[in-house]
Amino acid sequence: MTAPIDFYFDFASPYGYIASQQIDKIAERYERSVTWRAIVLDANFQSLERIRIPNNIMRSDYIRRDAERLATFYGVEYRTPSNLGAHTEQAARIFHWVHDRQPLRGRDFASRVMKAYFVDDQNIASEEVLEAISTEMGLSAEDFAEASANPASRSRLKAEVDMAEARGVFGSPFFIVEGERFWGNDRLPQLERWLATGPY
């Protein structure tokens, strides 16, 4: 059995969103699965002092234009959020709670959150927005509270980010397959060649 592709992303990363629209299709062509892994690159994530991208970089004019250009290049629906660089810890906690129980449902949650942010310009740092998305998916109010606020959910996310750091992850999107690391959308052709022909 071939190894899955680990796909690391931050919900507020436009590059992670754009990659999310492609990675499953690439994997399917080579009969691979993808494990989605939400991390937090936000400097406001107080329980982590290592992996972080300052908001002033994510909100720069260059990032805005580059993301718009890249989305157009790949044919991905995209609208620059009015609050680019939103805090994503709560969204990531909910994702892992759902994904650990039902991976496909977790992926659906992630896709809905990124669409809400990068297409519909909703504030995904808002608990109300995340709760509305969860309700649309059929998540109960009790499960939402458990996923978003339980100390175990916080610990689960911290463990995921700690593991990402240990594996050398430092950005979004980041892909690992068979121990090989690929950072960014511009590495997707190299990743695909790896899947097609093996190590090189």
Side-chain angles (χ1 to χ4, degrees), residues 6-11 35-41 45 88-111 113 130 134 137 139 143-144 146-164 167 169:
D6 285 324
F7 165 45
Y8 287 91
F9 64 95
D10 185 308
F11 279 107
T35 302
W36 287 37
R37 299 184 178 278
I39 56 175
V40 177
L41 298 171
F45 187 34
T88 63
E89 182 180 348
Q90 187 174 19
R93 289 200 305 265
I94 298 168
F95 165 79
H96 284 295
W97 191 93
V98 176
H99 188 269
D100 287 347
R101 290 157 178 79
Q102 295 179 285
L104 291 180
R105 199 178 187 196
R107 189 175 305 186
D108 181 37
F109 172 79
S111 296
V113 171
L130 296 175
S134 299
M137 292 178 53
L139 203 67
D143 283 347
F144 176 80
E146 177 80 10
S148 61
N150 190 296
S153 294
R154 297 175 186 271
S155 298
R156 171 67 180 88
L157 174 58
K158 185 178 185 303
E160 188 70 41
V161 178
D162 286 346
M163 182 177 70
R167 299 182 76 187
V169 174

Side-chain angles (χ1 to χ4, degrees), residues 24-60:
D24 288 323
K25 297 173 186 176
I26 292 173
E28 186 177 354
R29 287 199 287 270
Y30 301 96
E31 300 182 340
R32 299 277 185 137
S33 61
V34 181
T35 302
W36 287 37
R37 299 184 178 278
I39 56 175
V40 177
L41 298 171
D42 184 338
N44 293 321
F45 187 34
Q46 296 301 320
S47 56
L48 180 71
E49 294 296 334
R50 300 169 297 277
I51 304 176
R52 55 190 190 178
I53 297 178
N55 279 339
N56 63 327
I57 293 176
M58 291 308 298
R59 291 172 177 164
S60 69

Side-chain angles (χ1 to χ4, degrees), residues 42-197:
D42 184 338
N44 293 321
F45 187 34
Q46 296 301 320
S47 56
L48 180 71
E49 294 296 334
R50 300 169 297 277
I51 304 176
R52 55 190 190 178
I53 297 178
N55 279 339
N56 63 327
I57 293 176
M58 291 308 298
R59 291 172 177 164
S60 69
D61 289 341
Y62 177 81
I63 294 297
R64 288 175 180 272
R65 179 58 190 143
D66 187 57
E68 291 167 354
R69 186 174 59 229
L70 187 65
T72 300
F73 179 80
Y74 281 115
V76 172
E77 187 177 10
Y78 180 84
R79 176 183 176 188
T80 300
S82 55
N83 65 330
L84 190 60
H87 186 48
T88 63
E89 182 180 348
Q90 187 174 19
R93 289 200 305 265
I94 298 168
F95 165 79
H96 284 295
W97 191 93
V98 176
H99 188 269
D100 287 347
R101 290 157 178 79
Q102 295 179 285
L104 291 180
R105 199 178 187 196
R107 189 175 305 186
D108 181 37
F109 172 79
S111 296
R112 288 171 184 255
V113 171
M114 285 190 277
K115 179 180 181 296
Y117 191 48
F118 291 109
V119 177
D120 301 329
D121 193 23
Q122 297 183 47
N123 180 13
I124 61 169
S126 163
E127 182 170 332
E128 290 74 17
V129 169
L130 296 175
E131 187 170 15
I133 292 171
S134 299
T135 299
E136 288 172 4
M137 292 178 53
L139 203 67
S140 69
E142 293 76 14
D143 283 347
F144 176 80
E146 177 80 10
S148 61
N150 190 296
S153 294
R154 297 175 186 271
S155 298
R156 171 67 180 88
L157 174 58
K158 185 178 185 303
E160 188 70 41
V161 178
D162 286 346
M163 182 177 70
E165 185 206 24
R167 299 182 76 187
V169 174
F170 51 82
S172 170
F174 206 102
F175 312 94
I176 301 178
V177 59
E178 295 157 352
E180 193 74 8
R181 297 177 294 164
F182 300 86
W183 173 38
N185 289 278
D186 59 338
R187 294 299 185 267
L188 283 174
Q190 293 184 27
L191 170 61
E192 186 160 7
R193 179 177 165 185
W194 184 281
L195 297 175
T197 66

